[in-house]
Structure formats: C-alpha cells, structure tokens
Amino acid sequence: MAQTLDAPTPPATPPTHEAVDHGPRPRSKDGNVRTPKWLYAVMTVGLFFVVLPFVWMVISSFKPEAEVMSIPPTWWPETITTSNYSTLFSKLDFPTYFANSAIVAGAVALGNVIFCSMLGYALAKLDFPGKKVVFGLVLGTLMVPGVVTFIPLFVLTTNIGLANSLPGMILPFLAGPFGVFLMRQYVLTIPDELIQAARVDGAGELRIFFSVVLPLCGPAVATLGVLTFLTSWNNFLWPLVIATSEDKFTLPVALALYSVGQNATKYGLLLAGSVVVVLPVLAVFLVLQRRIMQGIAMTGIK
C-alpha cells in the first residue's frame, strides 16, 4: 500500500513592517508644506545671537573712547559722537586705503572667476592626458594650510620684484583650488549636447567657454566672486608683509596699525573702521544673495 507524503510546510515568513501612514502633512493655502512654529522660534533665537555682535559694533562706533572702555559696558551710548568717523576720514588717508582694498579685492575676484572657470571647464568637459592627476592635485591642494606656502610665496614674490606693490598682493591669489573645484562641480551639470552643438557649428573651445558655458554658470560665478572678494577684502597678513609703505596699505592693515598702539588700543576708531570695512561686502552679498544660494545648492558645497 503506497504511503502518501505530506507536502512540506513552508517556513514562516517574518512579519513585514509596513509604512505607517501618519496622514497628510499640514499645508498652507498655497499648497506648500507648513513649517512648524517652533522651528521659526529656534531660527529667530539663532539669528539674534548672530546679529547681536554686529549691532553692538555699529552702536559702539558712536560712543566716546571712555564709554567704549567703561565697565560695566553700556548698550546704548550715553553721549552720541561721530568723532571716530571724523578721525577715520580726516586724519587717515582713507581714500587711498579704500582704493587699494577695492583694487586688490576686485582683481582677485575677477581673476578667480576667469581662471578657475577655465580650469573647471577643462576638468569637467575636456579629455586630456593626466586629467585625473590634475584634479587630484587640486583636491590635495585644498588640504594644505595656507601658512605652509606663506614663506615660499613671499620669497618668490620678492625675487620677481613685486614686493611693496599691488600686483604683489594680487598675483599669488588669482586662482585657488576651491574655485576650481566649485566651478568644475557646476560645469558638470551643463548638458554635453550644448557643447557638442557649438562644436558642430564650428566654435572653438574659447568661443564655447565664453559664449556657451560661462553665461550658464551665473550662480556659481556669483558665489565664487563674492567668496573670493570677501576673503581678499578681509585679508590682513599678506598685505601686512608685502606692503612696506603707507601708500600701499589696505584698509585692514591701516586700521590695525593706526588704532592699535604700543600703550593703548583706540577701540572706538577700530569699531568705526570695522563698520566701514563690512559695508561693501554686505552690499555685494545683498545684491547677489539669490545667485549665491543657488550656486551653493547646485554645486554640492552644502
């Protein structure tokens, strides 16, 4: 008599964890997801602590020197004075220092925009021997602190006769690894079909770069220009070492030398000068803030 074999019992499958539907997220009238109110409160508190030192700097620049140094400090000036600003604009050669800073920062920003964009385009869209090696060197340079190359850069600048000159402050910083990396990441987002179409029409690489690629890199160019302008505008150590005469001083160097003495520091003058130094950078950022945020978001720097 044949024996019937029972079918094997399938192994028990572990229970699956299905996604729990918490319901639709709250949305505003225009259809966007509504941000929690507590998040606005946290950001407001953070903004307060960020802005507070700048507000105190502006207010204290209108205080007399004795009130700036008073303990406990006063928030609102008991005696409002503009003597710090009058000293800054009358006794110091302010137009010369401001012009030097503007020339150096503007030239450095323009040079980075042009040269870093060119190298970023080459690393992103062109094929040439050693391309990966060059990009690896760029990334490696990002990891080298600036103080390591400071002395060799100073010796090289002095040997070619650029000491105590504006070109000596500009030339070493006309291109930087951060700018090359930023522009390469952005140029990678440009479709290859646009470049191929320009080549089919007979355009050379320089024509393609200036007529096709660079106009499409507006957000990245604005980001790079503002960041390099800000860095060069606030640069203190390199202009201090290179410039040996007063007519070549930049604003940070002049403020430090004239407000910080051997016996005492003129904090009122220093605060007034800091306000003047911050205003151009703040104005540039406010004008280009939308393109800067777009460039940071699209290049992956965040």
Side-chain angles (χ1 to χ4, degrees):
M1 184 175 181
Q3 296 180 353
T4 58
L5 299 178
D6 296 334
T9 305
T13 58
T16 58
H17 298 279
E18 297 181 355
V20 180
D21 187 8
H22 295 284
R25 298 182 62 182
R27 295 179 178 271
S28 58
K29 294 181 179 180
D30 55 359
N32 296 326
V33 178
R34 186 180 303 170
T35 305
K37 294 183 179 180
W38 63 266
L39 186 58
Y40 283 111
V42 172
M43 290 190 295
T44 302
V45 173
L47 178 64
F48 173 78
F49 284 106
V50 170
V51 175
L52 184 62
F54 296 96
V55 175
W56 187 88
M57 178 182 68
V58 175
I59 294 176
S60 298
S61 65
F62 292 96
K63 296 179 182 179
E65 187 68 27
E67 188 175 351
V68 174
M69 299 298 297
S70 63
I71 299 176
T74 58
W75 175 254
W76 190 257
E78 298 177 356
T79 303
I80 299 178
T81 178
T82 58
S83 60
N84 297 322
Y85 290 95
S86 62
T87 302
L88 181 67
F89 290 103
S90 61
K91 295 185 179 180
L92 303 183
D93 193 3
F94 182 82
T96 300
Y97 305 145
F98 187 90
N100 291 340
S101 292
I103 293 172
V104 172
V108 170
L110 182 62
N112 275 266
V113 166
I114 295 177
F115 297 122
C116 292
S117 299
M118 286 182 173
L119 187 52
Y121 167 67
L123 292 175
K125 298 298 183 180
L126 301 182
D127 292 327
F128 56 91
K131 175 180 176 180
K132 294 183 178 180
V133 176
V134 174
F135 184 60
L137 292 175
V138 172
L139 294 180
T141 309
L142 282 171
M143 306 176 189
V144 179
V147 293
V148 175
T149 60
F150 188 87
I151 295 179
L153 194 61
F154 172 75
V155 173
L156 179 62
T157 305
T158 305
N159 290 339
I160 61 178
L162 294 180
N164 193 32
S165 65
L166 296 183
M169 304 180 194
I170 297 172
L171 187 61
F173 305 101
L174 282 180
F178 171 77
V180 175
F181 175 75
L182 176 70
M183 296 307 301
R184 175 190 178 272
Q185 296 301 108
Y186 194 90
V187 174
L188 284 175
T189 63
I190 298 177
D192 294 336
E193 291 76 11
L194 293 175
I195 300 176
Q196 294 297 335
R199 289 172 180 164
V200 170
D201 291 339
E205 295 301 330
L206 285 178
R207 179 68 181 274
I208 294 174
F209 173 75
F210 285 106
S211 300
V212 178
V213 176
L214 197 59
L216 296 176
C217 297
V221 166
T223 303
L224 178 61
V226 171
L227 292 179
T228 52
F229 182 88
L230 174 62
T231 302
S232 180
W233 182 268
N234 293 328
N235 193 6
F236 171 76
L237 188 58
W238 182 253
L240 176 65
V241 173
I242 289 295
T244 57
S245 59
E246 293 187 6
D247 61 329
K248 297 298 187 295
F249 285 170
T250 57
L251 269 178
V253 176
L255 288 175
L257 294 180
Y258 287 110
S259 61
V260 180
Q262 296 181 353
N263 300 323
T265 301
K266 301 177 182 178
Y267 288 101
L269 181 63
L270 187 60
L271 291 172
S274 300
V275 172
V276 176
V277 170
V278 168
L279 286 180
V281 178
L282 183 61
V284 171
F285 178 79
L286 291 177
V287 172
L288 301 175
Q289 61 177 333
R290 180 174 298 180
R291 286 187 173 272
I292 294 173
M293 294 300 111
Q294 184 180 357
I296 292 176
M298 296 187 66
T299 52
I301 299 302
K302 64 180 181 179

